[in-house]
Amino acid sequence: MSRRTPWADALDPDAVLPEYPRPQLARDSHLNLNGWWDHAFTADDRRPADWDGRILVPFSPEAELSGVGRQLQPGEHLWYRRTVRLPEGFLIGRALLHFGAVDQRCRVFVDGVEVGAHEGGYLPFSIDVTEALADGAEHELTVDVVDPSDTSYHSRGKQALKRGGIWYTAQSGIWQTVWMESVPALHVRELVLRPRLDDETIEVVVEASGPGSDAATDARDSPSAATPLATVIVRADGREIARTEGPAGRTLTVPVPGARRWTPDDPFLHDVEVRLGDDVVQSYVGMRSVGVAPDAFGRPRLVLNGEPVLHAAVLDQGYWPDGLYTPPSDEAMLHDLRSMKELGFNAVRKHIKIEPLRWYHHCDRLGLLVWQDMVNGGRRYDPAVITLPVKLPLRLDDRRHRRFGRQDAAGRAEFTAELEATVRLLRNSPSVVVWVPFNEGWGQFDALDAVERVRAIDPDRVIDHASGWHDQRGGDLESLHVYFRKLKPKRSWGRDGRAVVVSEYGGYSLRLPGHEFGPREFGYRRYRSIDALTDGFVELHRDEVLPAIGAGLSGIVYTQLSDVEDELNGLLTADRTVVKVDADRVRGVLDELFAEFDAVTGAGAASSSPPVAAHPTR
């Protein structure tokens, strides 16, 4: 039984995920704190007197690569400890301590004094530790973590303390990179980059922190002499093509006439440099638009840069047999994304997980359209709500909160805050084109409100408000999951202005000896050889998917990229060492789908369609 990927054996404990972790807000300041820390499990929140041993950060203690192999239980505390010293010349103003993600709640201490805390297991956060570390001496950094996992209403994704089937090993603690940077007192806190193809511009908002930042906040309405000025420079292939200066906190418009457009076939990125006082940050933008609009024959379709485009996606859970949520290396992440493209897919649905920011950076530069799921939470799910709709046409009103495990007002408020934070975190990434607030009724509630909240922050992307079932007739997509029945087009497709997608289907499984997780095999149809699985994949797409394209089908998401524990329905084994299908035949049948889509939509033909697609009004 293989439980390790090829990158595990090459892992250097002194250089764990050493790459710069935030490519769209990059500075020449990076102190990586991954590696060996001390750890201890305790029954309460008192600092441990004795430590249990070492843990390799950022792998959770449940992951093999952490060197621990122990589950953090609800009610327990997991403590981390290491020393940190700022290198000589590192501190230029303020020292910021960053955590990519810590599951689920944590407190952070320097020399026993609490310097910050955070709740939520999937989003990054930072703490200003200037006063604690400025003397250049060695200091003790400790982190206290608790994680109720699936025993509470907090967002948990597909983690389960009693794993099995479609629910996976629960993980906890630090699971993304820990790092430090030094910034000038006045510095860029956040960038908002919005490409506008209709007038060939980029809208940029430079959010500031430090002296004058209050004036920068006020600058949205009326900039004053106290408002710090930001300079925005746009380059293409190293050549400056545009430059604009204006107040921080206010929308700056940078003209980029004739800019090269971002597509999966040509994922060109324009470099963006921002200067604010002494602070200089590097970023990038992809010039592209997405939406839903009628094709040449009046059927609503997903469009990219004003042209209909078929989204042929694969579902990607982001689980690793040796690292759980954490990939063993940057190259491992790249391998998965390259594998998708080599198999012929042009899109990926990131399922119930928020990845490290480098994952989205790789999608940006490789050219993959990303459907981003929000992370589900809520109390225990009712099987009648989340399972019966697999076979029955059940649609419940999601304002009935208790039926969906959303009886806790605090849990609903927490999810809403995380929904908005996720959109803000990833909205600069050109590859992210679809937001998916809810999946299969897992903790779903008030999905129409979620649509409005997402749209208020990001009016430029497509929203799949309820993937699978319990459709509330909102968002931009009619989103179907089809596993135990044939895909049959309906005359009603597209009549409400929404594009039709099959956001999950397939799930065909193949057990390969030496690559399975255990004795169980979960999948929706079983095959016994690579040739047989490939035949099944090709037949499914020729017999069911291809005919549906002419009836209005605009996007598909095949389940799934790789095996995950009991689920042996991946196109790759969980250890990523075997492709379980004939890649040439898979790529060939997907090419047939693209050709059919172009033929039935008039894609690429001259038309009067606007360059930026508007969302349907409802």
Side-chain angles (χ1 to χ4, degrees):
M1 179 172 64
S2 175
R3 295 292 300 275
R4 293 170 68 89
T5 63
W7 304 276
D9 293 333
L11 185 66
D12 180 359
D14 295 322
V16 182
L17 296 168
E19 296 82 8
Y20 192 88
R22 195 186 55 199
Q24 278 194 293
L25 187 59
R27 293 184 176 91
D28 292 331
S29 177
H30 177 217
L31 178 62
N32 191 291
L33 298 182
N34 292 341
W36 290 115
W37 294 44
D38 296 324
H39 83 282
F41 292 85
T42 64
D44 54 37
D45 63 358
R46 288 176 292 186
R47 174 190 168 89
D50 300 305
W51 295 81
D52 298 338
R54 299 192 303 173
I55 183 170
L56 190 60
V57 170
F59 299 105
S60 65
E62 297 83 3
E64 176 190 346
L65 291 178
S66 71
V68 176
R70 183 189 186 296
Q71 177 73 59
L72 177 64
Q73 297 293 332
E76 289 186 321
H77 288 249
L78 169 62
W79 288 82
Y80 294 81
R81 178 181 69 173
R82 65 158 290 161
T83 58
V84 60
R85 181 200 302 269
L86 297 185
E88 185 175 352
F90 180 82
L91 184 62
I92 60 173
R94 310 301 299 177
L96 304 180
L97 173 63
H98 297 278
F99 291 84
V102 181
D103 193 10
Q104 196 273 325
R105 301 195 306 270
C106 71
R107 299 180 298 157
V108 181
F109 303 83
V110 175
D111 297 332
V113 177
E114 185 171 338
V115 293
H118 185 259
E119 295 191 10
Y122 293 83
L123 292 166
F125 62 98
S126 61
I127 302 168
D128 190 321
V129 291
T130 308
E131 281 69 28
L133 301 182
D135 61 5
E138 187 171 81
H139 296 272
E140 183 187 66
L141 174 63
T142 55
V143 182
D144 171 29
V145 180
V146 294
D147 184 5
S149 194
D150 57 345
T151 66
S152 184
Y153 55 70
H154 302 297
S155 297
R156 61 182 179 271
K158 299 186 76 172
Q159 302 180 69
L161 292 171
K162 296 182 179 179
R163 53 148 305 279
I166 67 169
W167 308 104
Y168 314 140
T169 298
Q171 61 95 66
S172 59
I174 299 170
W175 66 273
Q176 288 191 30
T177 289
V178 186
W179 61 290
M180 291 191 65
E181 67 175 338
S182 184
V183 299
L186 173 64
H187 60 273
V188 178
R189 183 183 76 252
E190 181 184 3
L191 286 178
V192 183
L193 303 170
R194 186 185 185 194
R196 304 289 291 165
L197 295 193
D198 51 355
D199 57 5
E200 296 189 302
T201 63
I202 304 170
E203 293 181 357
V204 182
V205 180
V206 180
E207 301 287 2
S209 286
S213 59
D214 291 341
T217 300
D218 296 338
R220 295 185 184 91
D221 301 317
S222 54
S224 67
T227 305
L229 295 179
T231 300
V232 180
I233 304 168
V234 179
R235 297 184 175 94
D237 291 325
R239 178 177 59 88
E240 181 175 327
I241 61 172
R243 179 185 294 240
T244 297
E245 183 179 80
R250 200 176 193 188
T251 300
L252 308 179
T253 300
V254 187
V256 284
R260 186 168 160 187
R261 298 187 175 189
W262 186 97
T263 70
D265 293 330
D266 183 22
F268 185 81
L269 300 174
H270 288 76
D271 294 319
V272 176
E273 180 178 299
V274 175
R275 301 172 184 173
L276 181 68
D278 294 329
D279 194 21
V280 179
V281 298
Q282 306 296 332
S283 190
Y284 60 84
V285 67
M287 294 300 293
R288 62 102 186 96
S289 69
V290 298
V292 169
D295 64 16
F297 305 97
R299 291 177 294 250
R301 299 285 188 175
L302 287 162
V303 295
L304 175 68
N305 302 331
E307 292 286 344
V309 60
L310 176 67
H311 288 214
V314 62
L315 193 78
D316 178 20
Q317 314 264 13
Y319 262 78
W320 301 84
D322 40 25
L324 296 181
Y325 265 177
T326 311
S329 72
D330 201 63
E331 185 58 38
M333 282 194 292
L334 274 168
H335 171 272
D336 275 6
L337 299 174
R338 287 171 177 151
S339 295
M340 298 175 202
K341 296 215 71 170
E342 288 167 2
L343 285 167
F345 296 97
N346 68 348
V348 52
R349 180 178 171 195
K350 177 46 61 179
H351 196 38
I352 318 293
K353 183 191 177 192
I354 301 169
E355 289 286 0
L357 293 178
R358 289 194 62 83
W359 186 89
Y360 301 94
H361 170 61
H362 292 318
C363 291
D364 294 341
R365 66 185 188 84
L366 293 177
L368 277 163
L369 302 168
V370 175
W371 296 30
Q372 178 61 51
D373 288 9
M374 304 302 165
V375 182
N376 60 290
R379 297 287 179 180
R380 183 179 178 88
Y381 301 146
D382 182 350
V385 173
I386 70 167
T387 303
L388 279 181
V390 175
K391 295 185 177 181
L392 300 177
L394 179 66
R395 184 177 70 86
L396 297 177
D397 186 338
D398 67 8
R399 293 172 295 182
R400 301 167 67 183
H401 296 156
R402 185 172 294 274
R403 290 296 305 271
F404 288 83
R406 280 300 189 181
Q407 58 266 46
D408 301 280
R412 298 195 301 273
E414 181 180 82
F415 176 87
T416 298
E418 292 176 352
L419 168 83
E420 295 176 349
T422 302
V423 173
R424 290 190 176 96
L425 176 69
L426 302 178
R427 62 183 167 185
N428 288 343
S429 176
S431 61
V432 176
V433 295
V434 179
W435 300 116
V436 187
F438 297 108
N439 178 76
E440 293 188 351
W442 303 344
Q444 180 175 328
F445 70 97
D446 303 340
L448 297 181
D449 177 70
V451 170
E452 296 308 311
R453 290 178 180 274
V454 171
R455 196 86 81 204
I457 300 170
D458 180 9
D460 300 328
R461 285 181 173 86
V462 175
I463 301 175
D464 179 5
H465 80 304
S467 181
W469 32 83
H470 305 304
D471 185 0
Q472 308 299 300
R473 312 297 191 211
D476 304 302
L477 303 178
E478 181 179 349
S479 184
L480 312 173
H481 289 188
V482 181
Y483 284 118
F484 293 104
R485 63 186 188 276
K486 287 189 175 182
L487 173 60
K488 296 180 179 179
K490 296 182 179 180
R491 292 184 178 180
S492 62
W493 279 9
R495 288 182 179 175
D496 61 1
R498 296 186 298 172
V500 176
V501 298
V502 177
S503 48
E504 285 188 33
Y505 72 105
Y508 292 176
S509 70
L510 168 63
R511 173 188 291 273
L512 290 181
H515 300 277
E516 64 271 65
F517 177 81
R520 296 187 63 187
E521 178 178 353
F522 184 93
Y524 298 105
R525 182 176 294 181
R526 297 182 180 182
Y527 292 88
R528 289 293 171 257
S529 71
I530 287 177
D531 286 342
L533 176 59
T534 305
D535 289 342
F537 184 96
V538 171
E539 290 168 8
L540 171 64
H541 289 80
R542 283 186 177 154
D543 295 347
E544 298 184 36
V545 177
L546 192 145
I549 290 174
L553 183 63
S554 198
I556 53 175
V557 182
Y558 182 82
T559 304
Q560 61 183 324
L561 176 66
S562 64
D563 294 347
V564 184
E565 299 192 353
D566 292 344
E567 291 191 11
L568 301 184
N569 52 11
L571 298 171
L572 312 177
T573 54
D575 58 18
R576 277 63 167 185
T577 60
V578 179
V579 180
K580 296 163 63 178
V581 289
D582 183 313
D584 289 337
R585 293 184 63 200
V586 167
R587 189 166 52 250
V589 76
L590 291 178
D591 284 343
E592 293 176 26
L593 301 186
F594 288 121
E596 175 71 6
F597 186 86
D598 288 348
V600 302
T601 62
S607 72
S608 59
S609 299
V612 180
H615 294 278
T617 301
R618 68 184 58 84

